[in-house]
Amino acid sequence: MVEPTFDRVAFEIGSLPIYWYGMIIAFGAMLGLILALFEAKRLNYDSERVVDVIIWSIPISIVFARIYYVIFQWDYYSENLGQIIDIRQGGIAIHGAIFGALLVVVIYCMRKSMSFWKITDILAPSLLLGQAVGRWGNFMNQEAHGAETTSRFLKETLFLPDWIVNQMYIDGAYYLPTFLFESVWNIIGVILLVVWRMVGNPPRGYIFLSYLVWYSIGRFYIEGLRTDSLMAGDLRTAQLVSIAMIVFGVVMMIVRRKAKRYDDPSEKGLFD
């Protein structure tokens, strides 16, 4: 019998268990903040605005991510109401977090008379980085995995180290590490978005819209490999949302192809 490499509990404070999942999510948020501040400084953008948006977005995103997850698992949570607020062992959906964060950004930009597109362009790579890191919380929880496979495939085809392979041994079988596929896809996306912004001067909003399209393409295909998808009837919820985000992103890029360039300092309206 193969023993998992890691326990989901990192340590305990008295009788209170502290889970790797929450620590990794927090670490991903911190790295996202660091990247956003670096980019804001490089682009001569007000870093205080970035910090304010992120500070407000993090708790709201977590709440929305949990609400989204609970809605699509209501059959279970309707009979276990006391577990609705318990996220220490997982149970949050990234699409819910994205919707929550965007709501915060829209409200903040309205109050401060800021350009929604300009600040989301700065935040998009950071959000993708946070998602890439956060997937490793799924790894620690042995969740968000794909179909059953073999240790030979994991080692000899995917060339994964033993510490990942062992963690993918769950209830007597090995499973595809779809969390890893998405994490790698997201990291590649971060690099592409940051490099594009450095060497090019895309229309305002293109970085954010490209984030939506890039992430959604990867999520659509990877979601098809998973065995624990949230469902809307017979359809995978994440795939439906991914299609909608791809269509929205592409259409808006067409609409905004003549928008102000990213380095234009003016901000006259919310969707300027």
Side-chain angles (χ1 to χ4, degrees):
M1 179 177 179
V2 178
E3 291 293 332
T5 303
F6 303 100
D7 188 277
R8 64 180 58 192
V9 177
F11 57 88
E12 295 183 358
I13 300 178
S15 60
L16 178 65
I18 304 299
Y19 292 88
W20 280 111
Y21 185 86
M23 293 176 60
I24 291 172
I25 294 295
F27 181 63
M30 182 182 71
L31 288 181
L33 174 60
I34 292 172
L35 176 60
L37 290 176
F38 173 81
E39 286 295 281
K41 181 178 180 180
R42 188 177 66 82
L43 297 165
N44 296 317
Y45 194 81
D46 188 349
S47 60
E48 290 188 6
R49 291 181 172 184
V50 173
V51 172
D52 285 346
V53 168
I54 291 178
I55 288 177
W56 280 104
S57 294
I58 290 174
I60 299 299
S61 295
I62 293 174
V63 171
F64 271 68
R66 184 58 170 177
I67 291 173
Y68 186 103
Y69 184 86
V70 169
I71 288 174
F72 289 100
Q73 294 282 2
W74 185 243
D75 287 345
Y76 172 80
Y77 286 104
S78 63
E79 298 179 359
N80 298 273
L81 296 177
Q83 295 185 28
I84 289 179
I85 62 174
D86 183 7
I87 63 172
R88 293 175 296 172
Q89 300 187 54
I92 59 176
I94 189 60
H95 281 136
I98 293 172
F99 298 149
L102 290 180
L103 177 62
V104 170
V105 174
V106 169
I107 294 174
Y108 186 87
C109 289
M110 290 177 63
R111 292 174 61 88
K112 299 293 183 178
S113 299
M114 294 163 45
S115 168
F116 169 86
W117 298 114
K118 194 164 188 178
I119 194 167
T120 52
D121 276 349
I122 290 177
L123 296 176
S126 297
L127 180 55
L128 199 54
L129 177 60
Q131 291 171 231
V133 174
R135 277 303 177 197
W136 287 87
N138 299 133
F139 167 72
M140 302 302 289
N141 278 357
Q142 296 183 299
E143 62 186 6
H145 56 72
E148 187 174 329
T149 187
T150 64
S151 62
R152 182 176 181 178
F153 178 81
L154 296 177
K155 293 179 179 180
E156 298 181 10
T157 302
L158 297 183
F159 303 104
L160 298 179
D162 287 342
W163 59 274
I164 292 182
V165 173
N166 292 344
Q167 194 73 2
M168 289 294 96
Y169 187 77
I170 306 167
D171 296 330
Y174 290 94
Y175 290 89
L176 288 174
T178 47
F179 83 92
L180 178 61
F181 302 159
E182 187 171 324
S183 182
V184 171
W185 178 261
N186 290 347
I187 290 173
I188 293 172
V190 172
I191 295 171
L192 291 176
L193 292 179
V194 171
V195 170
W196 185 21
R197 187 157 57 196
M198 286 182 172
V199 302
N201 185 22
R204 191 176 294 178
Y206 264 46
I207 297 294
F208 170 68
L209 294 170
S210 296
Y211 151 73
L212 292 182
V213 174
W214 177 268
Y215 171 68
S216 297
I217 290 173
R219 181 60 185 274
F220 178 87
Y221 285 103
I222 294 169
E223 190 70 22
L225 301 175
R226 287 177 56 172
T227 59
D228 62 345
S229 300
L230 297 177
M231 305 296 290
D234 295 328
L235 302 174
R236 296 174 188 261
T237 304
Q239 289 186 315
L240 292 176
V241 175
S242 294
I243 292 173
M245 290 171 66
I246 292 170
V247 172
F248 174 80
V250 171
V251 169
M252 288 306 301
M253 289 177 75
I254 295 172
V255 170
R256 296 190 57 78
R257 66 187 183 279
K258 295 182 180 180
K260 291 180 179 178
R261 291 288 160 174
Y262 185 81
D263 59 2
D264 190 319
S266 64
E267 295 184 65
K268 296 181 180 179
L270 177 62
F271 297 113
D272 182 35

